[in-house]
Amino acid sequence: MTDGIEKEDHVDRLQRQWARELPDLDTQPMTILGRAYRLSNLVRPSIEATFADFGLDRGEFDVIATLRRSGPPYRLTPTDMYSALMISSGGLTHRLDRLEKAGLIRRERSPHDGRSVLVALTEAGAALAEKAIRTDMASEASFLQGLDARERETLAALLRKLIGGIERELTPSGEEIQTAD
């Protein structure tokens, strides 16, 4: 390393191979999107291991985290949940069944509509969500130690700008694309 910058990484090697095989191909998008994809693949096992330490898979964590960050009383409709999580109603039902069996959520009748159900976080679910997110954020922060505070702010701002442009391109109506994170 020189001045904290890697001389060559995996993506540079891929670009060099493509330049040899297809010299007319512009692989510049790979310098950003390829690295973002690689970054995600590198950190995913650690994130999943963190949740597993709490007896959760990623999808189960996403459910209890969505409820916890929604604020008191930590209740949402299933429709709000599967929209926020970008999963099918069937996929959500499967997760809710497992979490309910574990005592982390409960299904309640809506006080406004007796035909509707709300998904509520139990005290145990709220405590677990908080412990898991705190542990996960500490773990993820350790991955960023190679960047100083200003570099992290700059990178975050550039990624926000990039993602905003992509979202506008993919959803011209202005509808926000949501992810579980």
Side-chain angles (χ1 to χ4, degrees):
M1 290 209 295
T2 311
D3 297 327
I5 298 176
E6 294 286 331
K7 287 186 178 183
E8 183 177 73
D9 69 359
H10 179 75
V11 174
D12 292 324
R13 290 186 288 277
L14 294 177
Q15 278 191 290
R16 192 174 60 252
Q17 290 170 335
W18 282 118
R20 182 188 66 233
E21 296 300 314
L22 299 172
D24 63 314
L25 180 66
D26 177 10
T27 60
Q28 195 280 331
M30 184 186 301
T31 66
I32 296 168
L33 300 179
R35 284 188 176 99
Y37 181 72
R38 182 146 174 85
L39 174 64
S40 177
N41 286 335
L42 287 170
V43 301
R44 182 178 294 119
S46 173
I47 293 168
E48 290 173 353
T50 295
F51 298 144
D53 288 345
F54 290 95
L56 300 166
D57 66 25
R58 177 71 186 253
E60 293 164 340
F61 171 77
D62 287 344
V63 169
I64 65 171
T66 298
L67 287 165
R68 178 63 177 87
R69 71 175 180 259
S70 72
Y74 310 116
R75 291 188 310 214
L76 294 170
T77 67
T79 301
D80 288 340
M81 293 199 67
Y82 71 74
S83 295
L85 295 168
M86 291 186 56
I87 59 173
S88 69
S89 61
L92 177 62
T93 298
H94 184 65
R95 290 178 190 181
L96 294 179
D97 290 344
R98 291 190 317 252
L99 291 166
E100 189 170 40
K101 186 180 266 188
L104 301 174
I105 62 109
R106 67 181 171 274
R107 293 174 172 116
E108 303 174 344
R109 289 261 177 240
S110 169
H112 307 294
D113 179 357
R115 297 169 297 157
S116 297
V117 173
L118 295 172
V119 178
L121 199 56
T122 64
E123 282 187 38
L128 187 64
E130 185 173 332
K131 287 179 191 171
I133 191 65
R134 287 183 184 281
T135 301
D136 179 51
M137 287 297 98
S139 175
E140 290 186 30
S142 73
F143 292 125
L144 301 177
Q145 290 178 357
L147 301 174
D148 65 34
R150 186 178 190 131
E151 289 169 327
R152 288 191 300 266
E153 288 174 17
T154 299
L155 180 57
L158 290 170
L159 289 171
R160 183 182 305 110
K161 181 178 181 180
L162 175 63
I163 290 168
I166 292 170
E167 287 177 341
R168 281 188 297 281
E169 184 176 317
L170 294 177
T171 58
S173 66
E175 177 183 320
E176 183 177 341
I177 296 175
Q178 297 178 346
T179 62
D181 293 328

